[in-house]
Amino acid sequence: VNAGSDKLLCLGNSVQLNATGATNYTWTPADGLDNTSIANPVASPQSTITYTVISTQNGITKSDNVVVYVEDLYLETPGSVSICNGTGAALNIKTNAVKYQWAPANGLSCNDCASPVATPNVNTAYTVTVTGIAGCTTSDEVAVVVGSERNRASNRFIGELKRVYQHIYIISLTEHAAL
């Protein structure tokens, strides 16, 4: 009996197994199989698994194994990144992918790498699509928010002004209480 060649599939997908060389078949374990007593069951495992097919003919038992590798592709992005106009930031992602595609390409140091540096002049939503070794794909988005240095300076000035007024108010209360 021959269980066929090993298989590679994406999590959530199915693959048909194909045993040959016998007239009766028993597959184990049954996890993820639609039928354990045919030559070509459909396998939908949740993780990598080794299936064994067993055949007994004329009192002789033969077996063979096939491994179904399940790719569980993941992608984690920062969600959003803030930069000052004229500066950039790396769009660092976490993934087990082997191929990357970013869109739009405008303002990116590369559109086919894991962590491009983004330097857009306006707020931009970048979509990254990653591909695993089994051809599985998933996508997510990273928003790059562009602020101006002038806005940051204004915000710092307003913060300082609030602290000065709080300090004056506390001194004023202290002096009023002393009277």
Side-chain angles (χ1 to χ4, degrees):
V1 66
N2 182 336
S5 60
D6 292 345
K7 310 292 184 192
L8 180 62
L9 68 114
C10 304
L11 181 64
N13 288 350
S14 300
V15 66
Q16 189 158 28
L17 304 180
N18 191 25
T20 59
T23 55
N24 60 59
Y25 303 92
T26 303
W27 291 89
T28 63
D31 300 346
L33 294 179
D34 69 336
N35 190 327
T36 60
S37 59
I38 60 174
N40 55 353
V42 173
S44 305
Q46 296 301 303
S47 60
T48 297
I49 190 168
T50 300
Y51 290 110
T52 301
V53 62
I54 302 166
S55 177
T56 302
Q57 288 183 277
N58 301 324
I60 299 172
T61 300
K62 296 181 181 180
S63 67
D64 193 21
N65 296 326
V66 62
V67 179
V68 178
Y69 296 96
V70 178
E71 180 176 53
D72 186 5
L73 187 63
Y74 70 88
L75 172 61
E76 183 181 327
T77 68
S80 68
V81 175
S82 296
I83 63 171
C84 290
N85 198 9
T87 65
L91 305 182
N92 295 315
I93 62 172
K94 294 179 183 176
T95 184
N96 59 342
V98 295
K99 185 178 174 188
Y100 321 91
Q101 188 64 48
W102 292 85
N106 295 344
L108 293 179
S109 60
C110 59
N111 69 340
D112 60 355
C113 60
S115 298
V117 174
T119 56
N121 295 322
V122 296
N123 294 345
T124 305
Y126 291 102
T127 300
V128 60
T129 301
V130 297
T131 305
I133 60 172
C136 311
T137 62
T138 189
S139 298
D140 203 351
E141 190 173 275
V142 180
V144 178
V145 180
V146 181
S148 70
E149 192 58 42
R150 182 176 175 179
N151 288 346
R152 287 182 183 235
S154 295
N155 289 342
R156 280 194 302 271
F157 175 74
I158 291 169
E160 288 297 320
L161 197 55
K162 285 180 181 178
R163 281 190 283 281
V164 168
Y165 281 129
Q166 287 173 341
H167 184 68
I168 292 171
Y169 180 73
I170 291 169
I171 291 172
S172 174
L173 285 178
T174 306
E175 288 176 357
H176 181 62
L179 295 176

